[in-house]
Amino acid sequence: LEAVGEGTVLLDEIGDLPLTSQAKLLHVLEERSFERLGSNRTIELRARILAATNRDLKQMVEDGTFRADLYYRISVVTVEVPSLRDRQDDIATLAQRFLADLAPSCGRRVTGISDAAIETLKGYSWPGNVRELRNVIEHALVLGDGPIIQPADWPAEVQRSVDGDKGSPGDDVAGDDVVQLP
């Protein structure tokens, strides 16, 4: 919190925070200050705090597993983002973004993702949501070959998601359209 200065801190999976830590976090948010462990010097909190969770915090408050006062402190603006399986139109854009971000560190020159590979991604249920999509792209970069990612480059569970009318997961059709990297 000190190092971020006037930046932004993301408290990811805040619904998993134990009750004792919730009390400490509430104190920091209420007082807009904190002390380092073992110090008696107060440090002002200047950062903006964002919290994310995939849990129903209202229900957790009712169940007594999340503090009501912390819930009301962090619920200033709430944005609900549908799961990836409900946003199929975003899959190609996200896949391209992850590909652009990850390709340089994988040491592989990739120019795009075939349309067939994108269709395979759209047919998958994404239980791990966007994090899983990122991992699938990294898998294809590490284990695939060639300048264009094909359906055969995806992990087996993604390949198995293809319906019979979409073709076989490993089909590599000559002249296949490609989603190019920017």
Side-chain angles (χ1 to χ4, degrees), residues 99-100 103 107-113 140-141 144-149 180-181:
L99 181 61
R108 186 167 159 220
R109 173 99 170 101
V110 177
T111 58
I113 304 172
L141 283 166
D145 59 0
I148 297 169
I149 292 181
Q180 295 289 329
L181 289 176

Side-chain angles (χ1 to χ4, degrees), residues 11-58:
L11 303 174
D12 197 13
E13 300 301 342
I14 195 164
D16 294 338
L17 198 62
L19 283 169
T20 54
S21 298
Q22 291 176 32
K24 293 173 184 176
L25 177 59
L26 177 63
H27 178 77
V28 169
L29 296 177
E30 290 284 339
E31 300 299 321
R32 302 291 300 168
S33 65
F34 58 94
E35 294 176 0
R36 287 186 191 154
L37 189 60
S39 173
N40 59 2
R41 185 175 69 99
T42 300
I43 300 168
E44 178 186 356
L45 174 64
R46 299 185 321 257
R48 175 181 36 218
I49 306 294
L50 298 178
T53 187
N54 63 354
R55 295 183 175 209
D56 183 346
L57 293 182
K58 275 188 177 180

Side-chain angles (χ1 to χ4, degrees), residues 126-145:
W126 300 108
N129 221 337
V130 176
R131 290 180 180 113
E132 184 180 13
L133 175 59
R134 183 188 184 285
N135 289 342
V136 165
I137 299 297
E138 188 169 14
H139 171 98
L141 283 166
V142 170
L143 297 178
D145 59 0

